[in-house]
Amino acid sequence: MKEKTKRKFVNPDLSIIIPIYNEEENLRPLTLELKEVLETYGHSFEIIFINDGSKDSSIKILKEFVKEFNMNIKVINFEKNCGQTAAFDAGFKQAGGEVLITMDADMQNDPRDIPLLLKKLEEYDLVCGWRQKREDSFIKKASSIVANWVRNKISEESIQDTGCSLKAFRKEVPRHLKLFSGMHRFFPTLAKMEGFSVVEVKVNHRPRIYGKSKYNIRNRIIKSFLDLLAVRWMKKRRLDYKIKEIVQ
Ligand code: UDP
Ligand code: MG
């Protein structure tokens, strides 16, 4: 049903940032679930959808949502597909919230985990979801175990599940991250390199009911490995000095 009055929050508590690439069937159930769940928490919020060059009717649906829902919804529409990191970056830059929450559009992340992330964010700068019971294909789960292992070994890291999009950032964290394509897989490491504290919390995971995963081993393995070498290089070459004194 179409709602008539529209509230605009000036500075919401939470900015929910969701990249969209061909997710037309997920958009309505996702938005309805976010509305139902987030409105019970008592935090003001905005939802920022980034349409990353979808070829289906996602952008048309998202534009309708801006008028239809009595919520603070912002749609950023890319000219063409630029990848998930670019989408997160654009979302971070448009976000006005104290806390920035990233998640997937495919309903695999559960917004009911958000209070848990917020609680931990009282102690840490970045809280990352760690999917307990992955509801993905065997191939996807196995490749992710290997990828996390290799990533941790090569980048001297200890993150269990960097692929989980459900994360909560204190607003100052993304402002300090200079992002490059593919870097969304390294948010925890990049944040630590800037001196931020990072923790993982166990979260729910659900099967993807509508649409298809955009990643497979073939389209990910070489690029992700090169990205990993870049992060390792950045970590090793990070300027790490302390000034003893300045005399003038
Ligand atoms: N996505 C995007 N641009 C891309 C690829 C993916 O915005 O080039 C979005 C996609 O619509 C979803 C999220 O990023 O909301 C994660 O993608 P997906 O669920 O396909 O990845 P998986 O969870 O299978 O690794
Ligand atoms: Mg997904």
Side-chain angles (χ1 to χ4, degrees):
M1 211 208 324
K2 206 165 162 87
E3 296 172 70
K4 288 203 176 63
T5 50
K6 191 163 179 71
R7 265 180 307 161
K8 279 276 176 202
F9 303 113
V10 183
N11 271 323
D13 297 335
L14 313 179
S15 297
I16 316 290
I17 297 169
I18 312 179
I20 310 287
Y21 183 51
N22 298 339
E23 301 285 1
E24 59 186 3
E25 298 142 300
N26 284 309
L27 297 175
R28 184 162 290 274
L30 169 74
T31 307
L32 288 172
E33 182 178 53
L34 283 170
K35 179 173 166 60
E36 186 199 319
V37 174
L38 292 172
E39 286 186 346
T40 62
Y41 293 153
H43 295 291
S44 59
F45 64 91
E46 63 179 355
I47 303 176
I48 303 179
F49 292 112
I50 306 92
N51 177 50
D52 183 17
S54 296
K55 294 177 178 67
D56 65 1
S57 59
S58 292
I59 186 61
K60 182 171 169 280
I61 298 170
L62 291 171
K63 284 182 179 170
E64 282 163 13
F65 285 180
V66 174
K67 298 197 201 102
E68 176 185 338
F69 283 97
N70 181 25
M71 287 194 288
N72 200 352
I73 295 181
K74 193 182 273 188
V75 177
I76 302 171
N77 190 17
F78 278 179
E79 277 183 346
K80 58 179 172 58
N81 181 252
C82 294
Q84 213 178 331
T85 309
F88 282 135
D89 190 68
F92 290 146
K93 287 181 174 144
Q94 286 292 322
E98 285 302 312
V99 173
L100 315 187
I101 294 179
T102 53
M103 61 188 286
D104 282 356
D106 53 12
M107 301 193 71
Q108 290 197 263
N109 300 133
D110 188 344
R112 290 164 194 84
D113 285 317
I114 290 174
L116 197 71
L117 302 189
L118 294 179
K119 186 86 199 103
K120 272 284 176 195
L121 209 64
E122 290 171 12
E123 297 165 64
Y124 294 87
D125 301 310
L126 167 58
V127 182
C128 306
W130 172 11
R131 295 164 290 185
Q132 287 307 288
K133 219 176 129 283
R134 281 283 295 271
E135 294 288 351
D136 281 319
S137 66
F138 171 76
I139 296 278
K140 208 168 168 75
K141 282 192 276 192
S143 62
S144 166
I145 290 171
V146 175
N148 276 308
W149 187 84
V150 173
R151 197 176 289 132
N152 281 337
K153 270 271 167 241
I154 294 188
S155 60
E156 292 168 3
E157 202 24 286
S158 56
I159 297 288
Q160 311 278 347
D161 184 17
T162 182
C164 179
S165 284
L166 186 62
K167 293 185 168 75
F169 299 73
R170 289 194 190 180
K171 69 174 180 198
E172 55 274 21
V173 176
R175 287 181 195 161
H176 285 81
L177 306 184
K178 173 79 187 130
L179 296 179
F180 296 86
S181 180
M183 287 296 119
H184 67 277
R185 298 194 183 89
F186 299 92
F187 280 151
T189 306
L190 298 178
K192 283 186 199 171
M193 279 164 57
E194 294 301 320
F196 293 111
S197 56
V198 179
V199 71
E200 285 182 286
V201 297
K202 296 175 181 174
V203 295
N204 191 17
H205 196 238
R206 307 177 294 186
R208 190 191 244 278
I209 312 276
Y210 304 113
K212 286 196 199 93
S213 169
K214 311 302 174 302
Y215 303 108
N216 54 46
I217 300 180
R218 244 181 315 128
N219 71 14
R220 207 165 36 163
I221 190 160
I222 295 176
K223 194 171 172 297
S224 297
F225 189 71
L226 294 175
D227 293 345
L228 174 59
L229 296 182
V231 170
R232 179 188 157 95
W233 180 87
M234 279 194 262
K235 221 177 142 178
K236 296 257 182 229
R237 292 287 202 274
R238 191 170 67 96
L239 297 179
D240 184 18
Y241 58 85
K242 286 200 181 79
I243 296 175
K244 195 168 157 196
E245 56 186 346
I246 296 178
V247 182
Q248 54 186 1

